[in-house]
Amino acid sequence: ETGVTQTPRHLVMGMTNKKSLKCEQHLGHNAMYWYKQSAKKPLELMFVYNFKEQTENNSVPSRFSPECPNSSHLFLHLHTLQPEDSALYLCASSQDSGQGSNQPQHFGDGTRLSIL
Amino acid sequence: QKEVEQNSGPLSVPEGAIASLNCTYSDRGSQSFFWYRQYSGKSPELIMFIYSNGDKEDGRFTAQLNKASQYVSLLIRDSQPSDSATYLCAVKGTGGFKTIFGAGTRLFVKA
């Protein structure tokens, strides 16, 4: 149990579907992250939220839409995805993410997403 | 040049040996360095972090940092088959909010 819970664990969707990924952290952290992990590639940072404010959007296509209603919850809304979007999507949290922060990140177990 | 570079491996060591995992980074101003272990089908879990030049030991694990050479390593003593996993090096630079991850090194410990 990492303290970061992601649902669903697996998701199969068509290119025209709309779905959402959910992440919840029970660690009292103030920063939350979405990463994409594809086979044999480094973790790709997608979005960073610090105290509910988005502080990083790493040139992510608009078919991915994040939402952070509070410091404990993070969503990733998916719409009109492409086959190349099939990957493991990981949520992480840390105490904070400011420029001077050196806090490590704690990861959830991820959502394995397959686009048909 | 990749921002954080690791040899993809696989690195194969016999049980009981020392496994040495290396990582180089491009941002000279980087301040925070992390090693994560990721088992197949699982999420990354933090193994060690290091902020200052030199060695930091935690049980069988030792992290080594050389900022002048922009090099960080992880040594695993008395390697066990359960150490077989992908090890991710992560570096946080001076600007922005990003932590940059390397692609990882796959380690196999043979029984």
Side-chain angles (χ1 to χ4, degrees):
Chain A
E1 178 61 47
T2 66
V4 181
T5 304
Q6 289 187 245
T7 55
R9 293 295 309 278
H10 302 274
L11 179 62
V12 179
M13 56 188 286
M15 288 191 285
T16 58
N17 292 156
K18 287 184 181 180
K19 295 285 184 184
S20 296
L21 309 184
K22 179 182 176 182
C23 176
E24 182 175 1
Q25 58 94 2
H26 309 275
L27 300 169
H29 289 165
N30 296 304
M32 297 188 78
Y33 311 77
W34 279 117
Y35 286 91
K36 175 184 179 182
Q37 189 174 38
S38 304
K40 299 185 179 180
K41 286 187 176 181
L43 278 170
E44 298 174 52
L45 179 67
M46 300 176 73
F47 301 103
V48 180
Y49 279 82
N50 201 34
F51 293 91
K52 300 190 299 177
E53 298 296 321
Q54 189 181 118
T55 55
E56 190 80 34
N57 177 337
N58 203 25
S59 303
V60 180
S62 60
R63 57 185 184 270
F64 295 92
S65 174
E67 178 190 0
C68 187
N70 55 60
S71 292
S72 298
H73 294 85
L74 185 65
F75 296 89
L76 188 63
H77 304 300
L78 315 172
H79 177 48
T80 321
L81 295 193
Q82 304 299 308
E84 61 266 27
D85 297 323
S86 297
L88 179 67
Y89 288 83
L90 290 163
C91 173
S93 71
S94 67
Q95 187 59 47
D96 58 55
S97 72
Q99 291 189 1
S101 170
N102 57 11
Q103 297 300 309
Q105 295 173 29
H106 299 261
F107 287 83
D109 286 334
T111 295
R112 176 69 62 184
L113 177 65
S114 298
I115 306 300
L116 301 178
Chain B
Q1 181 189 8
K2 295 178 185 175
E3 293 178 86
V4 178
E5 204 147 354
Q6 297 181 255
N7 188 322
S8 63
L11 173 66
S12 185
V13 301
E15 184 175 0
I18 296 175
S20 178
L21 305 163
N22 304 316
C23 173
T24 58
Y25 59 93
S26 60
D27 182 354
R28 183 169 289 279
S30 296
Q31 298 293 324
S32 309
F33 307 87
F34 309 91
W35 282 100
Y36 289 83
R37 177 177 63 199
Q38 187 173 22
Y39 292 113
S40 180
K42 299 291 187 182
S43 63
E45 58 175 319
L46 182 70
I47 297 294
M48 295 212 45
F49 57 88
I50 186 167
Y51 307 137
S52 305
N53 273 330
D55 294 0
K56 180 181 178 182
E57 189 174 316
D58 184 0
R60 295 187 295 113
F61 299 96
T62 299
Q64 299 176 317
L65 175 61
N66 184 327
K67 290 185 179 181
S69 300
Q70 294 173 242
Y71 174 95
V72 58
S73 65
L74 179 70
L75 301 178
I76 307 175
R77 289 182 300 281
D78 188 23
S79 295
Q80 302 297 309
S82 58
D83 294 325
S84 299
T86 296
Y87 288 80
L88 306 176
C89 172
V91 177
K92 186 161 186 195
T94 51
F97 303 88
K98 288 185 184 181
T99 297
I100 307 298
F101 284 80
T105 298
R106 283 189 299 148
L107 173 66
F108 289 114
V109 180
K110 298 175 293 185

